[in-house]
């Protein structure tokens, strides 16, 4: 081969190294820069080598040798740096990247300098012209300087080899090739060079070996992707999943299956054809499924059925050449069961297993959105005294009761019904009218008994029904209406079924209307106290009871019966009472001069005690109007005292201490016993004739009244008879020892002005 052919080869090597260094620089890998400078550094000795081979001139050859030696120094130094990075050489103690020690820098610098000084001292090498292959070449005769240089370079290579060997031993099998190939190239390159150097071969081609080392370094640092490693990792992952995977070659032959696929088919051998055929027998022609789309397939029959997601797809290379295909089969049976269970738990009541409140409402509301359920009822059950039932018979029995009610509902329902437990003790249902039979229902409910073990207990259940009308959308409103209907049968033990009808609807509207108007009515004095006279035994008026009236701008005169029960229910009674107490104090204050001895009794509703500080409120009124507390009498009912009895008694005692007189209203209408009377801080007992007057057995009524009056007298309590309508009643009550009298016989409740006029006449 001619020297020019070598020049061309070396030029190509230089170009290759340049390209590699460029590519390394562009690489995003951190080692890119190191590889780049290493490849660039190799260009110097390669270029030097090219000059040596390509020239017949001494001067040019000399420059070539300098470049060759110095270039090798630089390349070796950079090779060490590369090795440190590539093999991740770390300090054993600090675990930090170890830097190239300073003495190595120095060593290479000194070597470069001593080589350069060869020009002056000639201690490193000299050139000798030889003839080879018919041409003249300059080989060098090494002296001490070059020997030192060689020791340094071979030492560096030895260090590199040592580090690579150590690393190659340490890393797992699959990583070894990255190190072994470079190591091998380095050793071969070095041996090749040694062969030229020590064999004194005129044309040294060893830089070809080092260039190959450069290329290898570039390839393994920058381009290399450990495909075998990736393969084995991917294969591991695929074997590890629960998904059955079958791979097919381009011609459609099964080439690989994972363990789950073997389990799925029940074939443990490596007979891929058989496994693949079994999959086709089980799932049919999977290729007919649209590509990349998972299709659900069910195998077997309930309860042993299993559910799978099946998909297939093709692999192709970037030139769109078919590489093969895969089939993926995922067993989702347990996943589906879990979702089903979770869904069930989210929508169903844990105790009874029927729908829970949210789901019942959702189902009904969904259906209402689709259609107007014109021929449907919404029903709410109400279990009477269920809290007491729970309390008396225990929670377990209570739960048993709820389960039996839900079972009973189930027995009524068909597909058209939606029903569920819409509160702790309330069940709700939406059912077609055709399914409703009042007679059967009443009969069932009249005999509803809860059984648990040997115990059997009667349970009173009421069911309210509400018709669904056009525009009804909100199930909770419908259920509320159904429950509202139950008010009408509250006190009728024979009836268990009630309907939300026009009357109830109108009452609902009425309640809403007047509740919203109370504030204004109080502010505008539409709400006023009427006074009903109270007389003594001589028939002389000595005081009055304040009884509220609402003179409504639209509805006219309204009696307490029209609004008191509602306000007692919704708590607004307290606003009204406060207003009446204040108005009464105002009247008493006006009477200070005209009727200083008159008293007025005011009513205190049981709710007032919970809604406000009654004592503070009334005392502040009395102070504001500067009146004697004696003249404002406080009427409380038995039911007020029945709850939190001790607290109430203490409060009433406090009232008395402040100088008020306490009256027990409607005595005998509630639950209090005569026995309790002795402990009650009460000054006056109001006995309601209405409870006795209509009694069939007047003689019995007479005995009761007589005894109550006597007992009161023994306890030094004044008795007042209410509802006295006739002179006979008045006379008889006087005879029995009653002290005070109130009733139509004297007067109906009348406006304050009328009362004042009445008093002035008498
Ligand atoms: P109550 O406190 O028992 O008041 C007596 C009721 O009996 C009054 O009915 C009165 O008009 C009526 N009455 C009086 N004499 C006779 C009679 O001879 N025969 C008959 N049949 N009835 C008679 P009214 O005024 O309709 O009040 C009804 C109830 O409303 C009162 O019963 C009381 O519980 C309540 N109420 C009235 N005003 C107020 C008030 O300002 N606050 C509170 N919390 N309740 C009030
Ligand atoms: Ca009263
Ligand atoms: Ca009364």
């Amino acid at each position: 081969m001619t020297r020019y052919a070598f020049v061309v080869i070396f030029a190509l090597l230089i170009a290759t190294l340049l390209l590699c260094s460029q590519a390394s620089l562009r690489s995003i890998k951190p080692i890119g820069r190191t590889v780049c400078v290493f490849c660039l550094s190799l260009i110097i000795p390669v270029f030097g080598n090219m000059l040596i081979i390509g020239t017949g001139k001494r001067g040019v050859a000399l420059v070539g040798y300098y470049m060759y030696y110095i270039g090798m120094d630089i390349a070796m130094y950079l090779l060490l740096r590369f090795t440190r990075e590539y093999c991740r050489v770390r300090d054993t103690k600090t675990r930090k990247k170890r830097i190239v020690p300073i003495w190595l820098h120095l060593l290479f610098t000194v070597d470069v300098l001593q080589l350069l000084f060869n020009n002056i001292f000639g201690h490193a090498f000299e050139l000798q012209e030889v003839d080879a292959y018919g041409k003249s070449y300059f080989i060098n005769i090494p002296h001490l300087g070059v020997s030192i240089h060689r020791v340094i370079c071979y030492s560096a290579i030895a260090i590199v080899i040592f580090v690579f060997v150590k690393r190659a031993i340490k890393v797992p099998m699959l990583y070894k090739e990255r190190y072994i190939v470079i190591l091998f190239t380095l050793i071969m390159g070095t041996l090749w060079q040694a062969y030229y150097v020590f064999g004194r071969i005129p044309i040294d081609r060893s830089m070809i070996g080092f260039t190959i080392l450069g290329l290898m370094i570039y390839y393994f640092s920058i381009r290399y992707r450990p495909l075998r490693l990736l393969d084995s990792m991917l294969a591991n992952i695929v074997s590890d999943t629960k998904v059955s995977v079958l791979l097919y070659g381009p011609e459609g032959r099964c080439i690989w299956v994972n363990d789950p696929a073997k389990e799925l088919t029940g074939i443990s051998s490596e007979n891929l054809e058989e496994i693949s055929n079994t999959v086709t027998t089980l799932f049919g022609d999977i290729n007919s499924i649209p590509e990349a789309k998972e299709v659900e397939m069910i195998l077997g029959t309930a309860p042993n059925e299993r559910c799978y997601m099946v998909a297939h797809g093709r692999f192709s290379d970037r030139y769109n050449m078919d590489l093969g295909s895969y089939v993926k089969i995922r067993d989702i049976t347990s996943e589906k069961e879990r979702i089903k269970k979770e869904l069930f738990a989210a929508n169903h009541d844990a105790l009874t297993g029927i729908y829970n409140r949210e789901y019942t409402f959702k189902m009904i509301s969904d259906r209402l959105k689709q259609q107007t359920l014109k021929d449907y009822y919404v029903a709410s059950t109400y279990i009477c005294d269920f809290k007491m039932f729970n309390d008396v018979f225990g929670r377990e029995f209570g739960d048993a009761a709820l389960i039996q009610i839900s079972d009973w509902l189930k027995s009524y329902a068909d597909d058209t019904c939606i029903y569920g437990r819409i509160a702790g003790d309330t069940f709700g249902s939406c059912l077609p009218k055709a399914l409703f039979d009042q007679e059967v229902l009443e009969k069932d409910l009249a005999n509803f008994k809860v059984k648990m073990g040997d115990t059997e207990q009667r349970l009173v259940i009421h069911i309210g029904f509400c018709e669904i009308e056009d525009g009804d959308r909100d199930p909770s409103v419908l259920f509320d209406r159904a429950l509202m209907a139950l008010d009408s049968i509250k006190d009728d033990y024979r009836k268990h079924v009630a309907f939300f009808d026009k009357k109830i609807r109108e009452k609902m509207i009425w309640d809403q209307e007047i509740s919203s108007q109370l504030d204004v009515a109080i502010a505008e004095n539409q709400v006023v106290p009427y006074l009903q006279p109270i007389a003594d035994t001589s028939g002389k008026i000595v005081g009055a009871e304040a009884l509220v009236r609402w003179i409504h701008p639209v509805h006219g005169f309204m009696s307490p019966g029209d609004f008191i029960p509602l306000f007692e229910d919704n708590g607004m009674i307290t606003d009204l009472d406060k207003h009446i107490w204040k108005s009464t104090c105002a009247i008493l204050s006006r009477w200070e001069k005209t009727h200083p001895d008159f008293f007025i009794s005011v009513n205190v509703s049981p709710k007032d005690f919970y809604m406000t500080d009654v004592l503070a409120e009334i005392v502040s009124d009395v102070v504001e109007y500067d009146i004697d507390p004696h003249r404002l009498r406080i009427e409380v009912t038995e039911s007020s005292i029945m709850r939190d009895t001790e607290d109430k008694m203490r409060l009433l005692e406090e009232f008395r201490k402040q100088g008020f007189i306490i009256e027990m209203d409607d005595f005998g209408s509630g639950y209090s016993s005569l026995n309790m009377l002795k402990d009650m801080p009460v000054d006056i007992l109001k006995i309601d004739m209405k409870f006795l007057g209509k009694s069939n057995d007047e003689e019995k009524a007479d005995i009761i009244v007589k005894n109550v009056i006597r007992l009161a007298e023994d306890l030094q309590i004044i008795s007042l008879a209410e509802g006295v309508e006739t002179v006979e009643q008045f006379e008889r009550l006087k005879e029995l020892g009653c002290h005070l009298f109130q009733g139509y016989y004297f007067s109906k409740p009348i406006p304050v002005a009328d009362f004042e006029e009445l008093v002035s006449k008498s």
Side-chain angles (χ1 to χ4, degrees), residues 532 545 547-549 560 564 577 580 603 605 665-666 690 722-725 743-744 749:
Q532 184 174 36
E545 178 178 357
L547 292 156
V548 67
R549 298 293 181 264
I564 293 274
D577 277 350
I580 296 296
N603 290 283
S605 152
D665 202 359
D666 300 344
K690 278 179 282 177
E722 277 191 290
V724 181
E725 291 182 343
Y744 292 170

PDB file of all heavy atoms in Angstrom, residues 532 545 547-549 560 564 577 580 603 605 665-666 690 722-725 743-744 749, ligand 1:
ATOM      1  N   GLN A 532    -109.973  39.060  79.093  1.00  0.00           N
ATOM      2  CA  GLN A 532    -111.173  38.370  79.574  1.00  0.00           C
ATOM      3  C   GLN A 532    -111.227  38.566  81.097  1.00  0.00           C
ATOM      4  O   GLN A 532    -110.279  38.215  81.813  1.00  0.00           O
ATOM      5  CB  GLN A 532    -111.126  36.884  79.239  1.00  0.00           C
ATOM      6  CG  GLN A 532    -112.428  36.214  79.674  1.00  0.00           C
ATOM      7  CD  GLN A 532    -112.529  34.759  79.242  1.00  0.00           C
ATOM      8  OE1 GLN A 532    -111.537  34.047  79.222  1.00  0.00           O
ATOM      9  NE2 GLN A 532    -113.739  34.347  78.901  1.00  0.00           N
ATOM     10  N   GLU A 545    -107.424  38.017  82.065  1.00  0.00           N
ATOM     11  CA  GLU A 545    -106.372  37.239  81.397  1.00  0.00           C
ATOM     12  C   GLU A 545    -106.157  37.864  80.023  1.00  0.00           C
ATOM     13  O   GLU A 545    -107.129  38.175  79.326  1.00  0.00           O
ATOM     14  CB  GLU A 545    -106.781  35.762  81.244  1.00  0.00           C
ATOM     15  CG  GLU A 545    -105.694  34.972  80.500  1.00  0.00           C
ATOM     16  CD  GLU A 545    -105.993  33.488  80.335  1.00  0.00           C
ATOM     17  OE1 GLU A 545    -107.024  33.011  80.833  1.00  0.00           O
ATOM     18  OE2 GLU A 545    -105.172  32.809  79.681  1.00  0.00           O
ATOM     19  N   LEU A 547    -105.408  37.546  76.349  1.00  0.00           N
ATOM     20  CA  LEU A 547    -105.482  36.494  75.321  1.00  0.00           C
ATOM     21  C   LEU A 547    -105.275  37.146  73.954  1.00  0.00           C
ATOM     22  O   LEU A 547    -105.948  38.103  73.610  1.00  0.00           O
ATOM     23  CB  LEU A 547    -106.835  35.782  75.397  1.00  0.00           C
ATOM     24  CG  LEU A 547    -107.006  34.948  76.676  1.00  0.00           C
ATOM     25  CD1 LEU A 547    -108.480  34.743  77.007  1.00  0.00           C
ATOM     26  CD2 LEU A 547    -106.299  33.602  76.558  1.00  0.00           C
ATOM     27  N   VAL A 548    -104.336  36.598  73.233  1.00  0.00           N
ATOM     28  CA  VAL A 548    -103.915  37.273  72.006  1.00  0.00           C
ATOM     29  C   VAL A 548    -104.975  37.200  70.902  1.00  0.00           C
ATOM     30  O   VAL A 548    -105.698  36.207  70.778  1.00  0.00           O
ATOM     31  CB  VAL A 548    -102.569  36.680  71.513  1.00  0.00           C
ATOM     32  CG1 VAL A 548    -102.749  35.262  71.066  1.00  0.00           C
ATOM     33  CG2 VAL A 548    -101.945  37.516  70.395  1.00  0.00           C
ATOM     34  N   ARG A 549    -105.035  38.286  70.125  1.00  0.00           N
ATOM     35  CA  ARG A 549    -105.860  38.300  68.913  1.00  0.00           C
ATOM     36  C   ARG A 549    -105.039  38.955  67.805  1.00  0.00           C
ATOM     37  O   ARG A 549    -104.221  39.840  68.064  1.00  0.00           O
ATOM     38  CB  ARG A 549    -107.147  39.134  69.133  1.00  0.00           C
ATOM     39  CG  ARG A 549    -108.072  38.595  70.210  1.00  0.00           C
ATOM     40  CD  ARG A 549    -108.693  37.237  69.809  1.00  0.00           C
ATOM     41  NE  ARG A 549    -109.617  36.716  70.829  1.00  0.00           N
ATOM     42  CZ  ARG A 549    -109.267  35.836  71.759  1.00  0.00           C
ATOM     43  NH1 ARG A 549    -108.017  35.420  71.848  1.00  0.00           N
ATOM     44  NH2 ARG A 549    -110.165  35.391  72.630  1.00  0.00           N
ATOM     45  N   PRO A 560    -106.592  32.777  68.505  1.00  0.00           N
ATOM     46  CA  PRO A 560    -105.322  32.070  68.732  1.00  0.00           C
ATOM     47  C   PRO A 560    -105.283  30.698  68.066  1.00  0.00           C
ATOM     48  O   PRO A 560    -104.222  30.272  67.615  1.00  0.00           O
ATOM     49  CB  PRO A 560    -105.260  31.921  70.253  1.00  0.00           C
ATOM     50  CG  PRO A 560    -106.130  32.972  70.791  1.00  0.00           C
ATOM     51  CD  PRO A 560    -107.184  33.235  69.773  1.00  0.00           C
ATOM     52  N   ILE A 564    -101.679  29.982  67.017  1.00  0.00           N
ATOM     53  CA  ILE A 564    -100.848  29.575  68.166  1.00  0.00           C
ATOM     54  C   ILE A 564    -100.227  28.174  67.975  1.00  0.00           C
ATOM     55  O   ILE A 564     -99.016  28.013  68.173  1.00  0.00           O
ATOM     56  CB  ILE A 564    -101.659  29.638  69.487  1.00  0.00           C
ATOM     57  CG1 ILE A 564    -102.000  31.077  69.832  1.00  0.00           C
ATOM     58  CG2 ILE A 564    -100.903  28.951  70.632  1.00  0.00           C
ATOM     59  CD1 ILE A 564    -100.972  31.845  70.594  1.00  0.00           C
ATOM     60  N   ASP A 577     -95.236  35.946  72.337  1.00  0.00           N
ATOM     61  CA  ASP A 577     -95.443  36.078  73.782  1.00  0.00           C
ATOM     62  C   ASP A 577     -94.739  37.309  74.351  1.00  0.00           C
ATOM     63  O   ASP A 577     -95.304  38.057  75.143  1.00  0.00           O
ATOM     64  CB  ASP A 577     -94.973  34.811  74.506  1.00  0.00           C
ATOM     65  CG  ASP A 577     -96.052  33.732  74.469  1.00  0.00           C
ATOM     66  OD1 ASP A 577     -97.188  34.052  74.064  1.00  0.00           O
ATOM     67  OD2 ASP A 577     -95.759  32.571  74.824  1.00  0.00           O
ATOM     68  N   ILE A 580     -96.809  40.222  73.768  1.00  0.00           N
ATOM     69  CA  ILE A 580     -98.009  40.290  74.623  1.00  0.00           C
ATOM     70  C   ILE A 580     -97.631  40.674  76.058  1.00  0.00           C
ATOM     71  O   ILE A 580     -98.304  41.484  76.700  1.00  0.00           O
ATOM     72  CB  ILE A 580     -98.762  38.937  74.606  1.00  0.00           C
ATOM     73  CG1 ILE A 580     -99.290  38.626  73.199  1.00  0.00           C
ATOM     74  CG2 ILE A 580     -99.920  38.915  75.623  1.00  0.00           C
ATOM     75  CD1 ILE A 580    -100.326  39.600  72.660  1.00  0.00           C
ATOM     76  N   ASN A 603     -99.965  34.396  79.408  1.00  0.00           N
ATOM     77  CA  ASN A 603     -99.641  32.997  79.122  1.00  0.00           C
ATOM     78  C   ASN A 603     -98.154  32.850  78.771  1.00  0.00           C
ATOM     79  O   ASN A 603     -97.609  33.651  78.012  1.00  0.00           O
ATOM     80  CB  ASN A 603    -100.489  32.491  77.962  1.00  0.00           C
ATOM     81  CG  ASN A 603    -101.948  32.343  78.357  1.00  0.00           C
ATOM     82  OD1 ASN A 603    -102.325  31.396  79.036  1.00  0.00           O
ATOM     83  ND2 ASN A 603    -102.776  33.320  77.978  1.00  0.00           N
ATOM     84  N   SER A 605     -95.786  30.011  77.084  1.00  0.00           N
ATOM     85  CA  SER A 605     -95.833  28.723  76.377  1.00  0.00           C
ATOM     86  C   SER A 605     -94.653  27.834  76.809  1.00  0.00           C
ATOM     87  O   SER A 605     -93.584  28.340  77.143  1.00  0.00           O
ATOM     88  CB  SER A 605     -95.773  29.003  74.882  1.00  0.00           C
ATOM     89  OG  SER A 605     -95.191  27.943  74.218  1.00  0.00           O
ATOM     90  N   ASP A 665    -102.200  26.699  84.650  1.00  0.00           N
ATOM     91  CA  ASP A 665    -103.297  26.782  83.674  1.00  0.00           C
ATOM     92  C   ASP A 665    -103.812  25.387  83.330  1.00  0.00           C
ATOM     93  O   ASP A 665    -103.062  24.414  83.385  1.00  0.00           O
ATOM     94  CB  ASP A 665    -102.765  27.458  82.401  1.00  0.00           C
ATOM     95  CG  ASP A 665    -103.870  28.062  81.565  1.00  0.00           C
ATOM     96  OD1 ASP A 665    -105.045  27.940  81.966  1.00  0.00           O
ATOM     97  OD2 ASP A 665    -103.558  28.645  80.508  1.00  0.00           O
ATOM     98  N   ASP A 666    -105.068  25.304  82.963  1.00  0.00           N
ATOM     99  CA  ASP A 666    -105.669  24.063  82.452  1.00  0.00           C
ATOM    100  C   ASP A 666    -105.369  22.851  83.332  1.00  0.00           C
ATOM    101  O   ASP A 666    -105.013  21.782  82.822  1.00  0.00           O
ATOM    102  CB  ASP A 666    -105.147  23.760  81.035  1.00  0.00           C
ATOM    103  CG  ASP A 666    -105.477  24.876  80.070  1.00  0.00           C
ATOM    104  OD1 ASP A 666    -106.352  25.693  80.417  1.00  0.00           O
ATOM    105  OD2 ASP A 666    -104.865  24.931  78.989  1.00  0.00           O
ATOM    106  N   LYS A 690    -114.259  23.325  80.793  1.00  0.00           N
ATOM    107  CA  LYS A 690    -114.492  22.702  79.479  1.00  0.00           C
ATOM    108  C   LYS A 690    -114.217  21.193  79.541  1.00  0.00           C
ATOM    109  O   LYS A 690    -114.844  20.409  78.862  1.00  0.00           O
ATOM    110  CB  LYS A 690    -113.587  23.336  78.414  1.00  0.00           C
ATOM    111  CG  LYS A 690    -114.130  24.622  77.865  1.00  0.00           C
ATOM    112  CD  LYS A 690    -113.181  25.232  76.840  1.00  0.00           C
ATOM    113  CE  LYS A 690    -112.029  25.920  77.581  1.00  0.00           C
ATOM    114  NZ  LYS A 690    -111.033  26.486  76.657  1.00  0.00           N
ATOM    115  N   GLU A 722    -112.228  28.209  85.190  1.00  0.00           N
ATOM    116  CA  GLU A 722    -112.263  28.805  83.844  1.00  0.00           C
ATOM    117  C   GLU A 722    -113.478  28.238  83.116  1.00  0.00           C
ATOM    118  O   GLU A 722    -113.938  27.148  83.449  1.00  0.00           O
ATOM    119  CB  GLU A 722    -111.047  28.357  83.051  1.00  0.00           C
ATOM    120  CG  GLU A 722    -109.791  29.119  83.266  1.00  0.00           C
ATOM    121  CD  GLU A 722    -108.780  28.702  82.206  1.00  0.00           C
ATOM    122  OE1 GLU A 722    -108.291  27.558  82.264  1.00  0.00           O
ATOM    123  OE2 GLU A 722    -108.513  29.525  81.323  1.00  0.00           O
ATOM    124  N   GLY A 723    -113.949  28.944  82.117  1.00  0.00           N
ATOM    125  CA  GLY A 723    -115.022  28.420  81.280  1.00  0.00           C
ATOM    126  C   GLY A 723    -116.366  28.378  82.004  1.00  0.00           C
ATOM    127  O   GLY A 723    -117.199  27.507  81.747  1.00  0.00           O
ATOM    128  N   VAL A 724    -116.534  29.338  82.897  1.00  0.00           N
ATOM    129  CA  VAL A 724    -117.811  29.419  83.604  1.00  0.00           C
ATOM    130  C   VAL A 724    -118.816  30.095  82.671  1.00  0.00           C
ATOM    131  O   VAL A 724    -118.639  31.250  82.300  1.00  0.00           O
ATOM    132  CB  VAL A 724    -117.668  30.236  84.918  1.00  0.00           C
ATOM    133  CG1 VAL A 724    -118.988  30.301  85.651  1.00  0.00           C
ATOM    134  CG2 VAL A 724    -116.576  29.636  85.785  1.00  0.00           C
ATOM    135  N   GLU A 725    -119.850  29.333  82.291  1.00  0.00           N
ATOM    136  CA  GLU A 725    -120.756  29.881  81.259  1.00  0.00           C
ATOM    137  C   GLU A 725    -122.131  30.230  81.801  1.00  0.00           C
ATOM    138  O   GLU A 725    -122.859  31.015  81.206  1.00  0.00           O
ATOM    139  CB  GLU A 725    -120.865  28.869  80.116  1.00  0.00           C
ATOM    140  CG  GLU A 725    -119.557  28.766  79.342  1.00  0.00           C
ATOM    141  CD  GLU A 725    -119.636  27.806  78.166  1.00  0.00           C
ATOM    142  OE1 GLU A 725    -120.558  26.980  78.117  1.00  0.00           O
ATOM    143  OE2 GLU A 725    -118.747  27.891  77.297  1.00  0.00           O
ATOM    144  N   GLY A 743    -115.024  33.303  82.536  1.00  0.00           N
ATOM    145  CA  GLY A 743    -115.829  32.590  81.552  1.00  0.00           C
ATOM    146  C   GLY A 743    -116.823  33.490  80.871  1.00  0.00           C
ATOM    147  O   GLY A 743    -116.949  34.669  81.209  1.00  0.00           O
ATOM    148  N   TYR A 744    -117.495  32.934  79.870  1.00  0.00           N
ATOM    149  CA  TYR A 744    -118.437  33.721  79.074  1.00  0.00           C
ATOM    150  C   TYR A 744    -119.581  34.289  79.922  1.00  0.00           C
ATOM    151  O   TYR A 744    -120.228  35.250  79.555  1.00  0.00           O
ATOM    152  CB  TYR A 744    -119.011  32.864  77.935  1.00  0.00           C
ATOM    153  CG  TYR A 744    -117.982  32.501  76.865  1.00  0.00           C
ATOM    154  CD1 TYR A 744    -118.275  31.558  75.882  1.00  0.00           C
ATOM    155  CD2 TYR A 744    -116.734  33.121  76.843  1.00  0.00           C
ATOM    156  CE1 TYR A 744    -117.354  31.215  74.911  1.00  0.00           C
ATOM    157  CE2 TYR A 744    -115.804  32.786  75.881  1.00  0.00           C
ATOM    158  CZ  TYR A 744    -116.100  31.838  74.916  1.00  0.00           C
ATOM    159  OH  TYR A 744    -115.201  31.519  73.971  1.00  0.00           O
ATOM    160  N   PRO A 749    -113.392  37.271  75.948  1.00  0.00           N
ATOM    161  CA  PRO A 749    -112.238  38.161  75.853  1.00  0.00           C
ATOM    162  C   PRO A 749    -112.607  39.349  74.958  1.00  0.00           C
ATOM    163  O   PRO A 749    -113.195  39.145  73.884  1.00  0.00           O
ATOM    164  CB  PRO A 749    -111.173  37.291  75.193  1.00  0.00           C
ATOM    165  CG  PRO A 749    -111.601  35.886  75.439  1.00  0.00           C
ATOM    166  CD  PRO A 749    -113.091  35.914  75.433  1.00  0.00           C
TER     167      PRO A 749
HETATM  168  P1  LIG B   1    -106.275  29.353  77.672  1.00  0.00           P
HETATM  169  O1  LIG B   1    -105.038  30.005  78.181  1.00  0.00           O
HETATM  170  O2  LIG B   1    -106.821  28.228  78.395  1.00  0.00           O
HETATM  171  O3  LIG B   1    -107.286  30.453  77.470  1.00  0.00           O
HETATM  172  C1  LIG B   1    -108.604  30.296  77.719  1.00  0.00           C
HETATM  173  C2  LIG B   1    -109.359  30.038  76.502  1.00  0.00           C
HETATM  174  O4  LIG B   1    -110.716  29.697  76.840  1.00  0.00           O
HETATM  175  C3  LIG B   1    -109.466  31.290  75.635  1.00  0.00           C
HETATM  176  O5  LIG B   1    -109.509  30.885  74.320  1.00  0.00           O
HETATM  177  C4  LIG B   1    -110.830  31.817  75.972  1.00  0.00           C
HETATM  178  O6  LIG B   1    -111.434  32.602  74.964  1.00  0.00           O
HETATM  179  C5  LIG B   1    -111.609  30.544  76.176  1.00  0.00           C
HETATM  180  N1  LIG B   1    -112.759  30.762  77.072  1.00  0.00           N
HETATM  181  C6  LIG B   1    -112.872  31.646  78.084  1.00  0.00           C
HETATM  182  N2  LIG B   1    -114.079  31.521  78.689  1.00  0.00           N
HETATM  183  C7  LIG B   1    -114.729  30.540  78.054  1.00  0.00           C
HETATM  184  C8  LIG B   1    -116.017  29.945  78.222  1.00  0.00           C
HETATM  185  O7  LIG B   1    -116.815  30.300  79.076  1.00  0.00           O
HETATM  186  N3  LIG B   1    -116.364  28.948  77.438  1.00  0.00           N
HETATM  187  C9  LIG B   1    -115.493  28.511  76.446  1.00  0.00           C
HETATM  188  N4  LIG B   1    -115.871  27.533  75.687  1.00  0.00           N
HETATM  189  N5  LIG B   1    -114.277  29.062  76.242  1.00  0.00           N
HETATM  190  C10 LIG B   1    -113.895  30.054  77.052  1.00  0.00           C
HETATM  191  P2  LIG B   1    -108.667  31.631  73.291  1.00  0.00           P
HETATM  192  O8  LIG B   1    -108.619  33.067  73.561  1.00  0.00           O
HETATM  193  O9  LIG B   1    -109.152  31.162  71.951  1.00  0.00           O
HETATM  194  O10 LIG B   1    -107.249  31.063  73.538  1.00  0.00           O
HETATM  195  C11 LIG B   1    -106.986  29.746  73.316  1.00  0.00           C
HETATM  196  C12 LIG B   1    -105.674  29.353  73.857  1.00  0.00           C
HETATM  197  O11 LIG B   1    -104.639  29.984  73.135  1.00  0.00           O
HETATM  198  C13 LIG B   1    -105.436  29.778  75.274  1.00  0.00           C
HETATM  199  O12 LIG B   1    -106.007  28.889  76.177  1.00  0.00           O
HETATM  200  C14 LIG B   1    -103.958  29.760  75.379  1.00  0.00           C
HETATM  201  O13 LIG B   1    -103.496  28.490  75.611  1.00  0.00           O
HETATM  202  C15 LIG B   1    -103.566  30.198  74.010  1.00  0.00           C
HETATM  203  N6  LIG B   1    -103.233  31.648  74.038  1.00  0.00           N
HETATM  204  C16 LIG B   1    -104.022  32.713  73.906  1.00  0.00           C
HETATM  205  N7  LIG B   1    -103.291  33.840  73.965  1.00  0.00           N
HETATM  206  C17 LIG B   1    -102.029  33.469  74.156  1.00  0.00           C
HETATM  207  C18 LIG B   1    -100.788  34.159  74.281  1.00  0.00           C
HETATM  208  O14 LIG B   1    -100.710  35.405  74.294  1.00  0.00           O
HETATM  209  N8  LIG B   1     -99.657  33.410  74.436  1.00  0.00           N
HETATM  210  C19 LIG B   1     -99.712  32.039  74.471  1.00  0.00           C
HETATM  211  N9  LIG B   1     -98.587  31.372  74.640  1.00  0.00           N
HETATM  212  N10 LIG B   1    -100.838  31.368  74.368  1.00  0.00           N
HETATM  213  C20 LIG B   1    -101.987  32.082  74.193  1.00  0.00           C
END
